[in-house]
């Protein structure tokens, strides 16, 4: 499959026949070979990952907590729903420009990743809580499960598929929003900054290479998060109850 798309890329390169518009696979590979052996490349990739993951993880935790709180309180739901709706519909570019006025450039990608992910997690977890089987909750009260056992045995299996879907969807969105924020905020040692510089200086091979880095890192990160979530769910839920959650992971 990869060979097919590389062949398509090669064909487009020869069809356009302008290096400034489409860099050849060979030119991108050669440029990548020069960059990948430098410490600056790995530091840049690592810092971009850290910035985006920080915002992502904070947003996941906050989204779950807010979903639990708004599901328990209609008043809190009424107060927070408009804010979450604003976060959901406002263009990322607008938030980036505003954020550059308030915080440092290095913190903007984390904030943008968080703003994108929080409404997704909140909506999915809230739906999972609302969809919890009422009969199971009644059984838990009848057999006096207690809050902790009810949470673990009933709420977690019910919410898990929604939560995992939100996390996987949010991860891709956070990655794209974080890189876009780096392109606009131009922090030091960032993938987005290198993409911006490549565009500004018309270094097409660099632009293609850093775009490939974004794609490859996104695929690796998604795989790692998927494996981590399966391990966590297996430990928290355990046994056959995990199967329903794993269908969404």
């Amino acid at each position: 499959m990869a060979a097919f798309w590389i062949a398509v890329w090669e064909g487009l390169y020869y069809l356009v026949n302008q290096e400034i518009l489409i860099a050849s696979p060979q030119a991108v590979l050669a440029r990548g070979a020069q960059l990948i052996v430098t410490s600056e490349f790995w530091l840049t990739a690592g810092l971009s990952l850290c910035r985006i993951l920080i915002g992502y993880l904070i947003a996941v935790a906050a989204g779950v907590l807010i979903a639990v709180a708004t599901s328990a309180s209609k008043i809190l739901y009424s107060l927070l729903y408009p804010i979450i709706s604003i976060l959901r519909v406002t263009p990322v570019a607008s938030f980036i420009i505003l954020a550059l006025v308030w915080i440092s450039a290095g913190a903007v990608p984390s904030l943008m990743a968080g703003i994108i992910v929080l409404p997704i997690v909140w909506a999915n977890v809230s739906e999972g809580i609302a969809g919890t089987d009422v009969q199971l909750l009644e059984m838990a009260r009848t057999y006096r499960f207690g809050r902790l056992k009810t949470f673990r045995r009933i709420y977690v299996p019910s919410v898990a598929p929604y939560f995992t879907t939100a996390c996987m969807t949010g991860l891709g969105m956070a990655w794209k929003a974080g890189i876009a924020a780096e392109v606009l905020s131009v922090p030091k040692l960032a993938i987005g900054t290198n993409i911006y510089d490549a565009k500004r200086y018309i270094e097409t091979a660099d632009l293609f290479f850093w775009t490939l880095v974004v794609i490859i890192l996104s695929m690796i990160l998604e795989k790692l998060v998927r494996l981590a979530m399966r391990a966590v769910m297996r430990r928290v839920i355990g046994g056959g109850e995990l199967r329903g959650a794993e269908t969404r992971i």
Side-chain angles (χ1 to χ4, degrees), residues 27-127:
V28 175
L29 183 62
R31 184 56 179 153
Q34 292 176 346
L35 293 173
I36 204 169
V37 296
T38 64
S39 59
E40 184 175 337
F41 167 80
W42 295 104
L43 184 59
T44 297
L47 286 174
S48 287
L49 276 171
C50 287
R51 291 187 189 103
I52 294 168
L53 277 177
I54 287 171
Y56 171 78
L57 293 173
I58 291 174
V60 168
V64 171
L65 292 175
I66 294 172
V68 172
T70 53
S71 296
S73 171
K74 291 183 178 180
I75 295 176
L76 200 58
Y77 178 90
S78 299
L79 289 173
L80 295 181
Y81 181 76
I83 297 174
I84 295 173
S85 297
I86 290 171
L87 294 180
R88 184 185 298 172
V89 302
T90 304
V92 175
S94 299
F95 279 124
I96 295 172
I97 300 303
L98 288 171
L100 285 171
V101 177
W102 301 329
I103 60 178
S104 65
V108 173
S110 298
L111 179 61
M112 292 306 105
I115 284 174
I116 289 295
V117 173
L118 192 149
I120 296 173
V121 175
W122 172 82
N124 278 264
V125 173
S126 295
E127 186 178 354

Side-chain angles (χ1 to χ4, degrees), residues 120-236:
I120 296 173
V121 175
W122 172 82
N124 278 264
V125 173
S126 295
E127 186 178 354
I129 293 172
T132 302
D133 194 327
V134 176
Q135 291 182 343
L136 289 178
L137 293 173
E138 184 63 34
M139 181 197 70
R141 284 191 288 269
T142 301
Y143 287 96
R144 298 180 180 179
F145 272 18
R147 291 184 179 180
L148 183 59
K149 191 173 182 180
T150 300
F151 169 78
R152 183 175 179 181
R153 294 298 182 183
I154 297 177
Y155 278 112
V156 172
S158 175
V159 174
Y162 298 90
F163 175 70
T164 52
T165 298
C167 287
M168 298 312 301
T169 302
L171 182 63
M173 299 294 290
W175 186 243
K176 289 190 289 186
I179 296 299
E182 288 184 343
V183 171
L184 292 178
S185 62
V186 198
K188 293 181 179 179
L189 295 173
I191 292 175
T193 300
N194 281 279
I195 291 174
Y196 174 77
D197 289 340
K199 172 260 180 185
R200 184 171 59 168
Y201 298 117
I202 319 178
E203 296 172 339
T204 311
D206 283 48
L207 180 59
F208 272 63
F209 171 70
W210 284 109
T211 302
L212 282 175
V213 169
V214 171
I215 294 170
I216 292 169
L217 286 178
S218 177
M219 293 171 64
I220 293 172
L221 190 59
E222 182 177 336
K223 184 66 174 178
L224 291 174
V225 170
R226 194 185 301 273
L227 291 173
M229 292 196 68
R230 282 180 175 173
V232 170
M233 289 299 175
R234 190 172 289 112
R235 185 174 183 84
V236 173

